[in-house]
Structure formats: structure tokens, C-alpha cells
Amino acid sequence: MPRWATTPPADSPHIGPAVSGAATLLGHQFIPWQTHAANVAGTLTPAGRFRYRRVVLIVPRRAGKTLLILAYALAVTRRRRMARAFVAAHRRETAAAYWRDDWFPRIEAAGLYPRDVHLRRSNGSESIQWKGNRSVIRLLPPDGDAMRMFASDLAFVDEAREFTLLQGEDFEAAAFPTQATGLGGQFWIVSNAGDMSAAWLRKWRDIGRASVDDPSSQVCYIEYAAPEGADLDDPETWRAAHPGLGHHVDIDALAADRESMPPDRFAAEYLGVWPEALIDATLVDAWNRGTDPAAELADPIVLALELSLDRDRFVIVAAGGRDGRCVLETIEDRPHGPWVVARVGELARRWRAAAVVWDAAGPVAALAPDLFDLATNCQALQTRAVTAGAGAMYDAVLAGTISHRGDPTMAEACAKARRRGALGAWLWDRRQAEALPWLAASMARWVWSDQNRTAPSIH
């Protein structure tokens, strides 16, 4: 079931069966979430108008939203004479290819073409027109001006997460007035969950969530998402969030994508989780409390190295301090290149580094032969040490035993740090490239704590 969903008035008429019938005609049976969305969004007033003038649908990738859009558009335009339905997506050329490669073949296989509909395939003017009532479904460019000249019964903006706030509001200004006459129209905003740049979708998400408890609202809101605080690695979380699992989506495919995708992207694409929901606010607040403009590195100093999986970004973080208090500082954060080994050697000599460390199972391992040639104590940490360092970093930040000078790079890395399970514990997820300095800091602090430990006196 959706995590948030509008509940229409009891016993309201709706066009859900017509939409489901259109899908069946196209050769597909709706799965439960599609039936539910069609029934709720298609709720009508006693006068036959749409009960909801705006429909906001946020559903994970591969759930079948494109089939829902096509079936809904066919059902509405079949019911209304001279109806006009428009579909826009972030990239018109991609949407046009999908129409030609998927939608048009489905319509042909259903026998609707050429008997009932005319298909216009010309690049730039793709459309589906009913022959009997002259209603049409037209593909438009991602530009509000393209919609201004038409009266509109139905409009879909797909992949809404890709539109800026300005672009989205331009669509609104263009489309809303076109739906103010006759039986009235309906404007759909469709997407999977967005990232921090999805300001327009975020606006409608907030409007939609607020609307579900308002029975007078003209917004139909449906959002599928994992429960708050759910484990992104747990298949039960996937089942709770993704309405296509168990139907046409293979759980093994999600497992493969989880293995390769950054956590924030996987969570947004497949689990309906927005990035801010993954931020550990307790950790971020504690890190910010450790800001000290006067903080300085002090012996023993440990350098930790990290490299992104695509070998594009290289980070060097230093840990040092006295009296059990660790100071952390980002020393280098720039594109990976031939400068790395020489720079590490220079820093190790300058600060007489107690150790230079990296994750033996990470991308830096490819540099190990050259690093071990440096005249310094180099350590390739095994996974158990990396997991221990991650947990110890978390505890130390919350305990207030870490200081820093307010480094914005490390602040961003703290907010972007995500966990993944390993060896019965957890470590910071390297697939989240923005968190690289945090990974390096955790290793540096862990080895610093060992270097800083003194043997007990025995009398």
C-alpha cells in the first residue's frame, strides 16, 4: 500500500474500470497499485467532472507508471468527444522513442490501429487520435509554451523530478488555465522520488502529503515509500516500498542494483526515499558541535587515503591531537592523478606521519606497491579494522572527542555518510562518493587512536 494516499469520498463513481479495461486491451493486466491509482485519481463528481484537478503520483522505478499513463489517457480520451490529452517528459527525444518503440506497438497489437485510432509517427508531432470522436493524445516538448494554445482535458508531466522549480511552475501557468472550461481537466505530476535538486516535485510532495487529511482538497496524492528508518539492504524494506515486486519486478534485479548504485540514488529510484530522510541528524549535529576554529593537528599524525570507485576523486585526510582529543582535517580533495604518491610522500615527511593508511579492499589498493616504497609506515587496513573504525568514529563524534575547524567538505561528507553491513557490523558506504572524506577520516582516527595509546606503567 502507498505510504501516503488520498481517500476519496465513499461510493464515489470513478473511471477505474475503464482504465483497467484499456490496459487489458493493450495486453496487460493491472497490478494492484495501478488499479488503486486509476480508481482514486479517476474519481468523479456527480456531474461527471474529475473530483481531483491535480494528481501527484510518486512511485518507484519499474513499477509500471508508463502503462498507467497510457491506459488512463486512452480511457479519458475515449470517453470525451474532442478531448485533448498531453504528455511531456524531461527529454522529449527519449519520450518520443518510447512512444514509437513501446506505445505504438502495443496499440497495434491490441487491434486499435488502424481500425479505431490514427497514429502519427512523424518526429516532433507524435500523437494518438481516436477516429470516432476526434480526441487526441499528443506528445509535447518539456516547455509550458507548447501547451498554452490548446484547451486541455488531461496533461501528464512525467519524470517530474528532473524539472526545476521554474520549469515546473511554467507548466502550471500554461496548463492550469487550459483546463478551466467544459467538464474541467486534470493535471498529473508523475515521478519517482527526487534528490536535492528536485524543487518542483518537492513542492508538490509537500502539498500532496498535507492534502491527504483534507477531504475538501482537489489534490489526489499517492506516494509509495519505505517506512521511516527502514534498512535499505533488507528485502522486506523493498517489498514494503516497491509495488511492482512480486508482480513484474524481479527482486534479484533490485539486489544487483543495490550492489552497484550509490545509496541515495537506489533509495530514491526504488524505495521512494528522499535524501534528507537518510541523513543522520544526530551525527550531523554532534559533528557541528565539534567545530573549533583554533583546532590544530598535533603528533601523532596519521594520513588516510580514499579514492572513488570510478577513480576520479582522491582524498587525503589527516588525524592528530593530544590528550585523547582527535583533530581531523581534509588535506587534499581533487581529481585523482599521477600527483598522488608524490604528494603523500611529501606530507608524510613534512609531518613525520606516524602512519599512512587505506582500505585494503578499496580502490587505493591499486597504488599499494608505490605507497609501500615510501619511507613511512604504510598500513593497508583489513575490513574488520575499517568496520571498527567506522563504529568508533560514530561513537567519538557523539561523545564530543573530535575537533575540526568547520571544514565544509567534511561537513558535506558527514551529511552524506551512509552505512552498509559487513562482517556482522557496518562500514561507511564508498558508493556514496560525496562521503569519501568521512571514510578517510574514520580510518585516520582509528589508527591515530592506536598510535596515541600508551602502554600502562607497571610498578
Side-chain angles (χ1 to χ4, degrees), residues 333-357:
D333 181 5
R334 54 183 168 126
H336 176 49
W339 60 271
V340 168
V341 175
R343 178 61 170 155
V344 171
E346 175 193 343
L347 291 170
R349 289 191 300 273
R350 181 196 304 175
W351 286 337
R352 299 186 304 278
V356 173
V357 303

PDB file of all heavy atoms in Angstrom, residues 333-357:
ATOM      1  N   ASP A 333      41.610  17.163  -1.708  1.00  0.00           N
ATOM      2  CA  ASP A 333      40.361  16.667  -2.280  1.00  0.00           C
ATOM      3  C   ASP A 333      40.305  17.170  -3.715  1.00  0.00           C
ATOM      4  O   ASP A 333      39.844  18.274  -3.976  1.00  0.00           O
ATOM      5  CB  ASP A 333      39.157  17.168  -1.474  1.00  0.00           C
ATOM      6  CG  ASP A 333      37.826  16.638  -2.025  1.00  0.00           C
ATOM      7  OD1 ASP A 333      37.863  15.818  -2.962  1.00  0.00           O
ATOM      8  OD2 ASP A 333      36.766  17.057  -1.530  1.00  0.00           O
ATOM      9  N   ARG A 334      40.826  16.365  -4.634  1.00  0.00           N
ATOM     10  CA  ARG A 334      40.902  16.788  -6.033  1.00  0.00           C
ATOM     11  C   ARG A 334      40.945  15.574  -6.947  1.00  0.00           C
ATOM     12  O   ARG A 334      41.030  14.440  -6.475  1.00  0.00           O
ATOM     13  CB  ARG A 334      42.093  17.698  -6.262  1.00  0.00           C
ATOM     14  CG  ARG A 334      43.455  17.173  -5.815  1.00  0.00           C
ATOM     15  CD  ARG A 334      44.511  18.238  -6.042  1.00  0.00           C
ATOM     16  NE  ARG A 334      45.786  17.973  -5.423  1.00  0.00           N
ATOM     17  CZ  ARG A 334      46.948  17.977  -6.077  1.00  0.00           C
ATOM     18  NH1 ARG A 334      46.982  18.181  -7.386  1.00  0.00           N
ATOM     19  NH2 ARG A 334      48.091  17.770  -5.425  1.00  0.00           N
ATOM     20  N   PRO A 335      40.883  15.797  -8.251  1.00  0.00           N
ATOM     21  CA  PRO A 335      40.880  14.665  -9.185  1.00  0.00           C
ATOM     22  C   PRO A 335      42.113  13.779  -9.014  1.00  0.00           C
ATOM     23  O   PRO A 335      43.227  14.263  -8.797  1.00  0.00           O
ATOM     24  CB  PRO A 335      40.857  15.344 -10.557  1.00  0.00           C
ATOM     25  CG  PRO A 335      40.197  16.668 -10.312  1.00  0.00           C
ATOM     26  CD  PRO A 335      40.659  17.078  -8.952  1.00  0.00           C
ATOM     27  N   HIS A 336      41.869  12.487  -9.098  1.00  0.00           N
ATOM     28  CA  HIS A 336      42.953  11.507  -8.991  1.00  0.00           C
ATOM     29  C   HIS A 336      43.898  11.670 -10.166  1.00  0.00           C
ATOM     30  O   HIS A 336      43.499  11.996 -11.279  1.00  0.00           O
ATOM     31  CB  HIS A 336      42.336  10.108  -8.999  1.00  0.00           C
ATOM     32  CG  HIS A 336      43.344   9.010  -8.983  1.00  0.00           C
ATOM     33  ND1 HIS A 336      44.394   8.970  -8.100  1.00  0.00           N
ATOM     34  CD2 HIS A 336      43.449   7.888  -9.755  1.00  0.00           C
ATOM     35  CE1 HIS A 336      45.099   7.873  -8.314  1.00  0.00           C
ATOM     36  NE2 HIS A 336      44.552   7.208  -9.307  1.00  0.00           N
ATOM     37  N   GLY A 337      45.188  11.448  -9.897  1.00  0.00           N
ATOM     38  CA  GLY A 337      46.165  11.556 -10.973  1.00  0.00           C
ATOM     39  C   GLY A 337      47.544  11.137 -10.509  1.00  0.00           C
ATOM     40  O   GLY A 337      47.736  10.654  -9.375  1.00  0.00           O
ATOM     41  N   PRO A 338      48.549  11.344 -11.353  1.00  0.00           N
ATOM     42  CA  PRO A 338      49.911  10.907 -11.020  1.00  0.00           C
ATOM     43  C   PRO A 338      50.536  11.675  -9.867  1.00  0.00           C
ATOM     44  O   PRO A 338      51.618  11.309  -9.383  1.00  0.00           O
ATOM     45  CB  PRO A 338      50.678  11.138 -12.328  1.00  0.00           C
ATOM     46  CG  PRO A 338      49.868  12.138 -13.092  1.00  0.00           C
ATOM     47  CD  PRO A 338      48.451  11.891 -12.721  1.00  0.00           C
ATOM     48  N   TRP A 339      49.877  12.719  -9.400  1.00  0.00           N
ATOM     49  CA  TRP A 339      50.402  13.510  -8.281  1.00  0.00           C
ATOM     50  C   TRP A 339      50.307  12.789  -6.934  1.00  0.00           C
ATOM     51  O   TRP A 339      50.985  13.171  -5.975  1.00  0.00           O
ATOM     52  CB  TRP A 339      49.630  14.831  -8.170  1.00  0.00           C
ATOM     53  CG  TRP A 339      48.150  14.654  -7.921  1.00  0.00           C
ATOM     54  CD1 TRP A 339      47.168  14.530  -8.854  1.00  0.00           C
ATOM     55  CD2 TRP A 339      47.514  14.557  -6.648  1.00  0.00           C
ATOM     56  NE1 TRP A 339      45.944  14.357  -8.255  1.00  0.00           N
ATOM     57  CE2 TRP A 339      46.123  14.376  -6.897  1.00  0.00           C
ATOM     58  CE3 TRP A 339      47.942  14.602  -5.325  1.00  0.00           C
ATOM     59  CZ2 TRP A 339      45.191  14.233  -5.866  1.00  0.00           C
ATOM     60  CZ3 TRP A 339      47.018  14.468  -4.296  1.00  0.00           C
ATOM     61  CH2 TRP A 339      45.650  14.292  -4.580  1.00  0.00           C
ATOM     62  N   VAL A 340      49.467  11.753  -6.845  1.00  0.00           N
ATOM     63  CA  VAL A 340      49.051  11.224  -5.548  1.00  0.00           C
ATOM     64  C   VAL A 340      50.217  10.708  -4.714  1.00  0.00           C
ATOM     65  O   VAL A 340      50.432  11.140  -3.568  1.00  0.00           O
ATOM     66  CB  VAL A 340      47.986  10.120  -5.737  1.00  0.00           C
ATOM     67  CG1 VAL A 340      47.772   9.370  -4.427  1.00  0.00           C
ATOM     68  CG2 VAL A 340      46.677  10.724  -6.213  1.00  0.00           C
ATOM     69  N   VAL A 341      50.992   9.772  -5.238  1.00  0.00           N
ATOM     70  CA  VAL A 341      52.024   9.121  -4.422  1.00  0.00           C
ATOM     71  C   VAL A 341      53.073  10.134  -3.967  1.00  0.00           C
ATOM     72  O   VAL A 341      53.490  10.142  -2.794  1.00  0.00           O
ATOM     73  CB  VAL A 341      52.665   7.960  -5.188  1.00  0.00           C
ATOM     74  CG1 VAL A 341      53.826   7.367  -4.391  1.00  0.00           C
ATOM     75  CG2 VAL A 341      51.624   6.875  -5.487  1.00  0.00           C
ATOM     76  N   ALA A 342      53.488  11.023  -4.878  1.00  0.00           N
ATOM     77  CA  ALA A 342      54.485  12.027  -4.503  1.00  0.00           C
ATOM     78  C   ALA A 342      53.945  12.945  -3.410  1.00  0.00           C
ATOM     79  O   ALA A 342      54.674  13.309  -2.471  1.00  0.00           O
ATOM     80  CB  ALA A 342      54.889  12.835  -5.731  1.00  0.00           C
ATOM     81  N   ARG A 343      52.691  13.322  -3.519  1.00  0.00           N
ATOM     82  CA  ARG A 343      52.097  14.210  -2.514  1.00  0.00           C
ATOM     83  C   ARG A 343      51.978  13.505  -1.161  1.00  0.00           C
ATOM     84  O   ARG A 343      52.249  14.110  -0.117  1.00  0.00           O
ATOM     85  CB  ARG A 343      50.725  14.675  -2.990  1.00  0.00           C
ATOM     86  CG  ARG A 343      49.970  15.569  -2.026  1.00  0.00           C
ATOM     87  CD  ARG A 343      50.711  16.846  -1.729  1.00  0.00           C
ATOM     88  NE  ARG A 343      49.871  17.783  -0.988  1.00  0.00           N
ATOM     89  CZ  ARG A 343      50.330  18.743  -0.194  1.00  0.00           C
ATOM     90  NH1 ARG A 343      51.656  18.892  -0.049  1.00  0.00           N
ATOM     91  NH2 ARG A 343      49.514  19.556   0.438  1.00  0.00           N
ATOM     92  N   VAL A 344      51.619  12.252  -1.166  1.00  0.00           N
ATOM     93  CA  VAL A 344      51.539  11.503   0.091  1.00  0.00           C
ATOM     94  C   VAL A 344      52.920  11.435   0.739  1.00  0.00           C
ATOM     95  O   VAL A 344      53.066  11.647   1.954  1.00  0.00           O
ATOM     96  CB  VAL A 344      50.978  10.082  -0.151  1.00  0.00           C
ATOM     97  CG1 VAL A 344      51.104   9.239   1.114  1.00  0.00           C
ATOM     98  CG2 VAL A 344      49.522  10.151  -0.591  1.00  0.00           C
ATOM     99  N   GLY A 345      53.949  11.162  -0.078  1.00  0.00           N
ATOM    100  CA  GLY A 345      55.306  11.115   0.462  1.00  0.00           C
ATOM    101  C   GLY A 345      55.737  12.449   1.033  1.00  0.00           C
ATOM    102  O   GLY A 345      56.362  12.516   2.105  1.00  0.00           O
ATOM    103  N   GLU A 346      55.395  13.531   0.344  1.00  0.00           N
ATOM    104  CA  GLU A 346      55.752  14.875   0.827  1.00  0.00           C
ATOM    105  C   GLU A 346      55.083  15.169   2.174  1.00  0.00           C
ATOM    106  O   GLU A 346      55.733  15.669   3.108  1.00  0.00           O
ATOM    107  CB  GLU A 346      55.318  15.912  -0.211  1.00  0.00           C
ATOM    108  CG  GLU A 346      55.534  17.353   0.229  1.00  0.00           C
ATOM    109  CD  GLU A 346      54.820  18.331  -0.683  1.00  0.00           C
ATOM    110  OE1 GLU A 346      54.441  17.951  -1.813  1.00  0.00           O
ATOM    111  OE2 GLU A 346      54.599  19.484  -0.245  1.00  0.00           O
ATOM    112  N   LEU A 347      53.793  14.862   2.292  1.00  0.00           N
ATOM    113  CA  LEU A 347      53.073  15.121   3.540  1.00  0.00           C
ATOM    114  C   LEU A 347      53.612  14.254   4.676  1.00  0.00           C
ATOM    115  O   LEU A 347      53.742  14.713   5.822  1.00  0.00           O
ATOM    116  CB  LEU A 347      51.574  14.854   3.336  1.00  0.00           C
ATOM    117  CG  LEU A 347      50.832  15.830   2.418  1.00  0.00           C
ATOM    118  CD1 LEU A 347      49.427  15.302   2.112  1.00  0.00           C
ATOM    119  CD2 LEU A 347      50.754  17.212   3.047  1.00  0.00           C
ATOM    120  N   ALA A 348      53.906  12.992   4.361  1.00  0.00           N
ATOM    121  CA  ALA A 348      54.424  12.089   5.398  1.00  0.00           C
ATOM    122  C   ALA A 348      55.760  12.583   5.945  1.00  0.00           C
ATOM    123  O   ALA A 348      56.016  12.528   7.152  1.00  0.00           O
ATOM    124  CB  ALA A 348      54.554  10.675   4.833  1.00  0.00           C
ATOM    125  N   ARG A 349      56.608  13.105   5.053  1.00  0.00           N
ATOM    126  CA  ARG A 349      57.923  13.621   5.501  1.00  0.00           C
ATOM    127  C   ARG A 349      57.739  14.912   6.309  1.00  0.00           C
ATOM    128  O   ARG A 349      58.367  15.096   7.360  1.00  0.00           O
ATOM    129  CB  ARG A 349      58.824  13.878   4.293  1.00  0.00           C
ATOM    130  CG  ARG A 349      59.326  12.612   3.611  1.00  0.00           C
ATOM    131  CD  ARG A 349      60.411  12.946   2.597  1.00  0.00           C
ATOM    132  NE  ARG A 349      59.922  13.850   1.550  1.00  0.00           N
ATOM    133  CZ  ARG A 349      59.323  13.434   0.424  1.00  0.00           C
ATOM    134  NH1 ARG A 349      59.141  12.133   0.209  1.00  0.00           N
ATOM    135  NH2 ARG A 349      58.934  14.306  -0.487  1.00  0.00           N
ATOM    136  N   ARG A 350      56.904  15.817   5.803  1.00  0.00           N
ATOM    137  CA  ARG A 350      56.737  17.113   6.453  1.00  0.00           C
ATOM    138  C   ARG A 350      56.235  16.957   7.880  1.00  0.00           C
ATOM    139  O   ARG A 350      56.689  17.643   8.796  1.00  0.00           O
ATOM    140  CB  ARG A 350      55.779  17.991   5.658  1.00  0.00           C
ATOM    141  CG  ARG A 350      55.577  19.384   6.269  1.00  0.00           C
ATOM    142  CD  ARG A 350      54.361  20.080   5.706  1.00  0.00           C
ATOM    143  NE  ARG A 350      54.397  20.187   4.259  1.00  0.00           N
ATOM    144  CZ  ARG A 350      53.379  20.672   3.532  1.00  0.00           C
ATOM    145  NH1 ARG A 350      52.255  21.043   4.141  1.00  0.00           N
ATOM    146  NH2 ARG A 350      53.463  20.741   2.228  1.00  0.00           N
ATOM    147  N   TRP A 351      55.271  16.058   8.068  1.00  0.00           N
ATOM    148  CA  TRP A 351      54.642  15.920   9.382  1.00  0.00           C
ATOM    149  C   TRP A 351      55.169  14.719  10.168  1.00  0.00           C
ATOM    150  O   TRP A 351      54.663  14.436  11.253  1.00  0.00           O
ATOM    151  CB  TRP A 351      53.123  15.791   9.212  1.00  0.00           C
ATOM    152  CG  TRP A 351      52.461  17.083   8.857  1.00  0.00           C
ATOM    153  CD1 TRP A 351      52.932  18.334   9.089  1.00  0.00           C
ATOM    154  CD2 TRP A 351      51.203  17.231   8.194  1.00  0.00           C
ATOM    155  NE1 TRP A 351      52.047  19.268   8.617  1.00  0.00           N
ATOM    156  CE2 TRP A 351      50.966  18.625   8.059  1.00  0.00           C
ATOM    157  CE3 TRP A 351      50.259  16.349   7.696  1.00  0.00           C
ATOM    158  CZ2 TRP A 351      49.830  19.142   7.460  1.00  0.00           C
ATOM    159  CZ3 TRP A 351      49.113  16.863   7.102  1.00  0.00           C
ATOM    160  CH2 TRP A 351      48.905  18.245   6.983  1.00  0.00           C
ATOM    161  N   ARG A 352      56.199  14.051   9.613  1.00  0.00           N
ATOM    162  CA  ARG A 352      56.727  12.848  10.269  1.00  0.00           C
ATOM    163  C   ARG A 352      55.553  11.939  10.677  1.00  0.00           C
ATOM    164  O   ARG A 352      55.388  11.572  11.859  1.00  0.00           O
ATOM    165  CB  ARG A 352      57.580  13.226  11.486  1.00  0.00           C
ATOM    166  CG  ARG A 352      58.776  14.070  11.147  1.00  0.00           C
ATOM    167  CD  ARG A 352      59.667  14.307  12.353  1.00  0.00           C
ATOM    168  NE  ARG A 352      58.934  14.898  13.454  1.00  0.00           N
ATOM    169  CZ  ARG A 352      58.671  16.212  13.563  1.00  0.00           C
ATOM    170  NH1 ARG A 352      59.100  17.045  12.631  1.00  0.00           N
ATOM    171  NH2 ARG A 352      57.995  16.676  14.594  1.00  0.00           N
ATOM    172  N   ALA A 353      54.717  11.616   9.686  1.00  0.00           N
ATOM    173  CA  ALA A 353      53.469  10.878   9.935  1.00  0.00           C
ATOM    174  C   ALA A 353      53.735   9.554  10.626  1.00  0.00           C
ATOM    175  O   ALA A 353      54.647   8.800  10.261  1.00  0.00           O
ATOM    176  CB  ALA A 353      52.734  10.634   8.616  1.00  0.00           C
ATOM    177  N   ALA A 354      52.945   9.291  11.637  1.00  0.00           N
ATOM    178  CA  ALA A 354      53.052   8.012  12.336  1.00  0.00           C
ATOM    179  C   ALA A 354      52.603   6.859  11.449  1.00  0.00           C
ATOM    180  O   ALA A 354      53.059   5.730  11.609  1.00  0.00           O
ATOM    181  CB  ALA A 354      52.218   8.051  13.611  1.00  0.00           C
ATOM    182  N   ALA A 355      51.672   7.148  10.516  1.00  0.00           N
ATOM    183  CA  ALA A 355      51.190   6.099   9.611  1.00  0.00           C
ATOM    184  C   ALA A 355      50.481   6.736   8.423  1.00  0.00           C
ATOM    185  O   ALA A 355      49.930   7.840   8.521  1.00  0.00           O
ATOM    186  CB  ALA A 355      50.237   5.151  10.335  1.00  0.00           C
ATOM    187  N   VAL A 356      50.507   6.020   7.303  1.00  0.00           N
ATOM    188  CA  VAL A 356      49.684   6.325   6.131  1.00  0.00           C
ATOM    189  C   VAL A 356      48.817   5.098   5.906  1.00  0.00           C
ATOM    190  O   VAL A 356      49.342   3.983   5.768  1.00  0.00           O
ATOM    191  CB  VAL A 356      50.539   6.623   4.882  1.00  0.00           C
ATOM    192  CG1 VAL A 356      49.643   6.775   3.655  1.00  0.00           C
ATOM    193  CG2 VAL A 356      51.389   7.872   5.095  1.00  0.00           C
ATOM    194  N   VAL A 357      47.489   5.279   5.887  1.00  0.00           N
ATOM    195  CA  VAL A 357      46.591   4.118   5.886  1.00  0.00           C
ATOM    196  C   VAL A 357      45.571   4.221   4.761  1.00  0.00           C
ATOM    197  O   VAL A 357      45.243   5.311   4.284  1.00  0.00           O
ATOM    198  CB  VAL A 357      45.862   3.990   7.250  1.00  0.00           C
ATOM    199  CG1 VAL A 357      46.862   3.899   8.382  1.00  0.00           C
ATOM    200  CG2 VAL A 357      44.910   5.149   7.481  1.00  0.00           C
TER     201      VAL A 357
END
